[in-house]
Amino acid sequence: MAKNVSDHLVEMLKNAGIKRVYAITGDSLNPVNDAIRRDGTIEWIHVRHEETAAYAASMDAELNGIGCCMGSSGPGHVHLVNGLYDANRAGNPVIAIASTCTTDRFGTEYFQETNPEFLFKDCSKKVFMANTPQQFSTMIQRAIQTAFNEKGVAVLGLPGDIASADYEEVTTGFKNFNTNPIFRPSESEMSTLIELLNSNKKITLFCGHGCKGAVKEIEELAEKIKSPIAYSFRGKIFFDREDSPYAVGMNGLLGNKAGYDACNETELLVLLGTDFPYSEFLPEKTTIIQIDEKPERIGRRAHVDYGFAGDIKNTISALLPYINEHEDDSFLIKMKKIYKDDEKKFSDYSAKKGTPSKINPEYIATLIDHYSSDNTIYTVDTGMTAVWAARFIRAKGNRYLTGSFNHGSMANALPMAIGASASQPKRQVIAMSGDGGLSMLLGDLAVIMQYQYPVKIFVFNNHSLGMVKLEMEVAGYVDWQTDMVNPPFEKIAELMNIKGLELKDPEMAESVIKEALEYNGPVLVNIYTDPDTLAMPPHITLEQMKGFATSIVKKIGMGKFEEVKNSVKAGFNQIS
């Protein structure tokens, strides 16, 4: 059999390091499916929805450097879009193959016809169309090169007739280059950085996901300049260790007082590898330095005084020999004291177990943190579940925590867990799912069933869209259409050959969570949590207090006395 375009696609994907593709086959994608089958070295993971394919490929890329998903003509590849938005915003190198109708049908509004160049333009770095066999080789080479070096999504539009056509040799497009240059500021810029770090006494390092791989160097810098380390949600899993002399917590909506104060009471704030979006949590008059590998990000979130482009590890490594040892550690000690008080408050509250069918979610998150292994990969849904992960999942050993932190989409935890378990089979994988998020892609529990990935799925089932409910309340609205009537998730899991456990009694929480984590196979635990538990930000605005009070008054007028009582009680418990 002569080599066709799809055979060459498989060769290029393999050479790029792709070991798995996440997809649903069909019509225009079938030639690629057949080529992968005949080659036998790339695993085809049959998801139930292409959104899951994109999220799983994104997670694969985040953990392993490159990922691949595919969608068939029209609706198949349209379903990829939400997960590709997330991957692109997270900076994960993903190759997305969007097969299309045959080239002779373009422009005729043919069955399932789309225009990939328009469709994927906003959720990728670049869209490449292979309209002829000769063009294909260059397009796939450019797509892989773009994903690697621009760190994001590259889409290849592949018509069905081109995918099955004979391969035609060209002079380009036969090799990929995953470059890794040394990247740091210039000598004059480094001199400025050194001067700023040596001349200021109160310095805070605020670290994001771009600090991955540079933890040792950053902590050495913190030791020299006696700096507290605050962090974003994406950065916390690298620094948030109980024994850290520098960690003072997160800043932002999900953060704590120490993380906020460290950023706002300092003389010099150094933003390292973070695109932290919440400008209102950053100081307006303090001197700010920002270092990022993507210079276009500098200054778009805060009033930055000095901006430098560079890889964080390369930059800090070059700085360290020239930084003087600071003697005054009073600012660090002050922030550590506030952080210790924050942690005690969270610990005291998380020790409250709750009541039957209204278990405190903080208590559950604490147990998950305590009993999960030191190499666990946690995937967390957007919403209230993310709050509990942010506050109670700690850095230990080789742990990793991720979610839809940039795109903020629901339903991400399950598909990300699929990608994590498929690509890292020797590590424990925990999905912390909300009932709303799990419901969206519930059908992809069948992927867990089919491959028996040993994912532990903890469903924080509060029978509501909890974060949306809170957003409405603080804005002064009555939370309407946020309640959810859920199926018994544990029974659905059992029907799918996944061990299902129901948890309503808080006194049984510890034993049930231990049982789930010790089970050799996939588990879903349906946990009935308190829907009235609030997530208080580190600083509450007057507008938020007014909005919450307005919402309470409106509910009283509607006769919702029990709901008002529960909300007020939950609020006082958090504050006290």
Side-chain angles (χ1 to χ4, degrees):
M1 179 178 175
K3 178 180 176 180
N4 66 20
V5 165
S6 292
D7 293 323
H8 186 60
L9 170 63
V10 172
E11 289 176 9
M12 292 293 286
L13 293 177
K14 287 166 57 179
N15 291 339
I18 297 294
K19 295 180 172 59
R20 290 158 294 278
V21 299
Y22 302 86
I24 302 174
T25 195
D27 46 76
S28 57
L29 195 55
N30 288 338
V32 179
N33 172 292
D34 185 62
I36 291 174
R37 177 190 62 81
R38 286 185 285 102
D39 177 79
T41 56
I42 292 180
E43 184 181 8
W44 181 290
I45 296 175
H46 179 190
V47 298
R48 300 306 189 266
H49 193 289
E50 287 89 351
E51 182 177 346
T52 294
Y55 269 116
S58 177
M59 189 66 194
D60 203 327
E62 192 166 321
L63 294 171
N64 305 295
I66 188 73
C68 183
C69 58
M70 300 183 180
S72 60
S73 185
H77 61 237
V78 170
H79 286 161
L80 294 170
V81 167
N82 192 49
L84 293 183
Y85 262 105
D86 192 87
N88 201 48
R89 296 193 68 183
N92 293 334
V94 170
I95 309 298
I97 307 299
S99 69
T100 71
C101 64
T102 57
T103 52
D104 62 325
R105 304 294 184 179
F106 283 170
T108 66
E109 296 188 359
Y110 189 66
F111 178 67
Q112 296 188 332
E113 181 187 357
T114 63
N115 188 330
E117 289 182 284
F118 286 101
L119 175 64
F120 295 104
K121 182 178 180 180
D122 196 46
C123 63
S124 67
K125 299 300 180 185
K126 183 72 176 176
V127 182
F128 302 90
M129 283 298 300
N131 293 312
T132 69
Q134 297 96 327
Q135 190 184 26
F136 168 78
S137 292
T138 302
M139 294 299 99
I140 182 59
Q141 194 270 350
R142 288 195 64 199
I144 294 171
Q145 201 76 9
T146 297
F148 271 141
N149 294 294
E150 295 191 31
K151 295 185 179 178
V153 173
V155 178
L156 177 69
L158 183 60
D161 57 325
I162 303 302
S164 58
D166 289 344
Y167 170 68
E168 297 185 25
E169 194 77 40
V170 295
T171 57
T172 60
F174 63 93
K175 191 175 182 180
N176 294 112
F177 304 91
N178 187 9
T179 59
N180 186 28
I182 294 174
F183 182 30
R184 63 172 179 79
S186 67
E187 293 303 320
S188 62
E189 290 175 320
M190 291 292 284
S191 296
T192 301
L193 260 173
I194 293 164
E195 170 61 25
L196 287 165
L197 292 173
N198 282 336
S199 61
N200 283 276
K201 294 182 178 180
K202 291 167 60 177
I203 304 173
T204 294
L205 305 178
F206 185 50
C207 301
H209 190 261
C211 297
K212 179 182 179 181
V215 175
K216 176 176 175 290
E217 289 77 11
I218 289 169
E219 291 187 340
E220 285 181 18
L221 177 62
E223 172 59 31
K224 277 197 166 188
I225 63 177
K226 304 300 184 285
S227 167
I229 297 177
Y231 30 83
S232 67
F233 197 176
R234 287 195 82 192
K236 76 155 277 164
I237 201 63
F238 310 129
F239 299 98
D240 189 19
R241 301 189 315 275
E242 288 186 22
D243 61 347
S244 170
Y246 323 104
V248 296
M250 286 172 48
N251 189 9
L253 290 168
L254 309 185
N256 58 351
K257 188 177 187 301
Y260 177 89
D261 287 353
C263 291
N264 284 272
E265 293 184 13
T266 187
E267 294 174 351
L268 178 65
L269 178 62
V270 186
L271 307 178
L272 295 174
T274 178
D275 196 30
F276 181 73
Y278 303 110
S279 302
E280 60 270 30
F281 288 91
L282 296 175
E284 294 182 4
K285 297 181 180 179
T286 300
T287 301
I288 297 179
I289 297 171
Q290 185 172 3
I291 306 173
D292 202 288
E293 65 179 1
K294 294 187 176 181
E296 67 272 16
R297 292 176 174 172
I298 296 173
R300 71 180 185 181
R301 309 296 192 194
H303 180 75
V304 172
D305 299 279
Y306 301 90
F308 306 100
D311 172 82
I312 302 303
K313 185 182 177 90
N314 292 165
T315 303
I316 302 301
S317 295
L319 278 176
L320 281 169
Y322 304 97
I323 302 301
N324 298 331
E325 190 86 27
H326 291 202
E327 295 181 2
D328 186 357
D329 61 355
S330 57
F331 182 59
L332 173 59
I333 290 172
K334 178 183 176 182
M335 292 302 116
K336 287 297 293 185
K337 168 70 167 57
I338 297 171
Y339 181 57
K340 185 176 180 181
D341 293 342
D342 286 343
E343 289 295 284
K344 185 178 187 308
K345 181 184 71 174
F346 286 145
S347 177
D348 290 346
Y349 191 73
S350 66
K352 300 174 183 178
K353 299 180 180 180
T355 57
S357 295
K358 288 188 175 184
I359 304 174
N360 274 352
E362 298 94 331
Y363 175 57
I364 296 299
T366 302
L367 292 176
I368 292 171
D369 171 72
H370 181 72
Y371 287 109
S372 52
S373 71
D374 287 359
N375 76 338
T376 298
I377 299 169
Y378 305 88
T379 64
V380 301
D381 264 338
T382 299
M384 299 300 287
T385 307
V387 178
W388 317 135
R391 292 183 174 171
F392 299 103
I393 300 300
R394 307 298 293 266
K396 295 179 184 177
N398 192 35
R399 284 181 173 183
Y400 190 74
L401 181 148
T402 193
S404 184
F405 297 156
N406 293 59
H407 187 45
S409 174
M410 290 177 65
N412 62 283
L414 175 64
M416 283 182 166
I418 290 171
S421 194
S423 65
Q424 298 275 333
K426 294 183 180 180
R427 295 179 68 176
Q428 185 178 72
V429 177
I430 292 176
M432 296 174 66
S433 298
D435 50 339
L438 182 67
S439 297
M440 273 191 178
L441 289 173
L442 189 62
D444 273 277
L445 284 176
V447 181
I448 305 288
M449 172 180 69
Q450 181 162 336
Y451 297 98
Q452 283 297 291
Y453 295 134
V455 174
K456 316 306 179 188
I457 305 164
F458 294 99
V459 185
F460 287 68
N461 184 359
N462 61 7
H463 292 84
S464 70
L465 300 175
M467 184 64 80
V468 178
K469 177 180 177 181
L470 182 59
E471 290 168 352
M472 294 178 78
E473 287 176 338
V474 298
Y477 297 109
V478 173
D479 51 292
W480 187 63
Q481 296 294 353
T482 60
D483 294 338
M484 297 184 67
V485 178
N486 291 319
F489 293 117
E490 76 285 353
K491 292 183 179 179
I492 293 174
E494 290 286 357
L495 290 172
M496 293 189 176
N497 198 26
I498 298 168
K499 184 178 182 64
L501 298 171
E502 180 186 68
L503 178 55
K504 289 185 175 181
D505 183 357
E507 297 303 324
M508 297 295 296
E510 191 166 3
S511 62
V512 169
I513 287 172
K514 287 176 65 177
E515 179 185 355
L517 293 173
E518 291 169 0
Y519 182 72
N520 185 25
V523 183
L524 183 149
V525 186
N526 185 16
I527 309 167
Y528 288 73
T529 58
D530 186 355
D532 295 306
T533 301
L534 299 177
M536 305 296 281
H539 287 260
I540 305 169
T541 67
L542 180 61
E543 288 76 16
Q544 289 172 329
M545 294 173 66
K546 286 179 178 178
F548 189 74
T550 300
S551 177
I552 291 293
V553 170
K554 288 179 180 178
K555 289 181 184 180
I556 291 172
M558 296 168 67
K560 297 185 175 183
F561 301 113
E562 186 66 22
E563 188 175 333
V564 168
K565 184 186 77 173
N566 292 336
S567 294
V568 172
K569 181 180 177 183
F572 276 121
N573 283 339
Q574 278 273 355
I575 295 169
S576 60

